[in-house]
Amino acid sequence: MFPYLLSSFCHCSRQLSSASRELSSQLSRGLSQQQAWNLSHPWLIRAAKAHGEYLIVRGFADILNKPMSSSLKIVLHKEVLLYALWRIEQCSGDFLETITLTPSTLQDIHSLVSKLLTDLRPEAIRLVDSFSHNDGILHSALGCYDGDVYRRLFKWAKKAPLNKHEVTDGYYKHLRGLLKAKL
């Protein structure tokens, strides 16, 4: 499945090269470069995004071809599939224009994305932890193994600078006068 996805991204990226033809067309009509660019920029942006997505998926494919443990390869393969299918879902219009994609195929992709999310959910904490960022740097009270999320969220909220006082200084400086004024 993955080689097909990679070729789909590549094909989408190439098809959107029509952006450069659009720019050339505008220039050949005698428009200034700025006018031609302004009229062509929606296609140019789509082309740049499509090419970037292709490079990301190709980079993932290159990583999967490197030697690694089978358990890691399984998880990374699921992540790559999730990313590629999610992007097809998000950019379905571009893919509908460039490859054979039907509404039923899009529904299958949606179902597969949901399945991959479910499959990867148990791995989520380990995947994030593999980068060795602590929860303080991530500003996340959610990623701890003890399951005590709500107490931790409440403690973090109490420590937040805006929660140092019952009523913030901004209320007294700006809002209090407005609320007491007779309009």
Side-chain angles (χ1 to χ4, degrees), residues 7-179:
S7 68
S8 298
F9 275 88
C10 181
H11 188 67
C12 185
S13 177
R14 281 193 197 131
Q15 287 296 102
L16 289 173
S17 66
S18 62
S20 65
R21 287 192 296 277
E22 176 66 26
L23 182 59
S24 297
S25 169
Q26 299 292 348
L27 288 170
S28 67
R29 289 190 200 151
L31 294 174
S32 72
Q33 190 170 8
Q34 183 179 4
Q35 290 171 322
W37 182 267
N38 284 340
L39 291 173
S40 303
H41 81 272
W43 291 274
L44 294 166
I45 290 170
R46 283 177 64 197
K49 285 181 179 179
H51 186 68
E53 295 292 345
Y54 165 67
L55 291 176
I56 291 169
V57 172
R58 190 183 77 193
F60 278 144
D62 292 345
I63 288 171
L64 285 175
N65 290 327
K66 292 184 178 182
M68 64 182 76
S69 70
S70 60
S71 58
L72 178 61
K73 193 169 210 141
I74 289 168
V75 172
L76 288 179
H77 189 263
K78 286 179 183 179
E79 279 188 348
V80 171
L81 281 176
L82 174 62
Y83 179 80
L85 293 171
W86 175 73
R87 289 310 300 157
I88 289 174
E89 208 176 26
Q90 296 299 304
C91 304
S92 58
D94 291 339
F95 285 93
L96 283 168
E97 288 179 22
T98 58
I99 62 173
T100 306
L101 192 63
T102 64
S104 66
T105 308
L106 278 174
Q107 186 57 46
D108 292 342
I109 287 172
H110 179 72
S111 298
L112 194 49
V113 165
S114 295
K115 182 184 180 325
L116 286 166
L117 285 170
T118 301
D119 290 352
L120 284 169
R121 187 168 287 122
E123 306 294 334
I125 290 176
R126 283 185 288 239
L127 289 168
V128 173
D129 285 350
S130 70
F131 292 103
S132 299
H133 298 303
N134 69 36
D135 293 327
I137 290 173
L138 295 174
H139 297 291
S140 170
L142 304 176
C144 296
Y145 285 106
D146 65 8
D148 199 11
V149 173
Y150 298 109
R151 276 197 195 101
R152 190 172 299 101
L153 278 171
F154 187 70
K155 283 180 187 176
W156 283 33
K158 284 170 56 176
K159 290 179 184 177
L162 287 175
N163 293 328
K164 294 279 187 216
H165 307 285
E166 189 72 28
V167 178
T168 65
D169 295 336
Y171 169 78
Y172 294 111
K173 288 180 186 174
H174 305 289
L175 294 177
R176 189 175 186 187
L178 288 173
L179 292 174

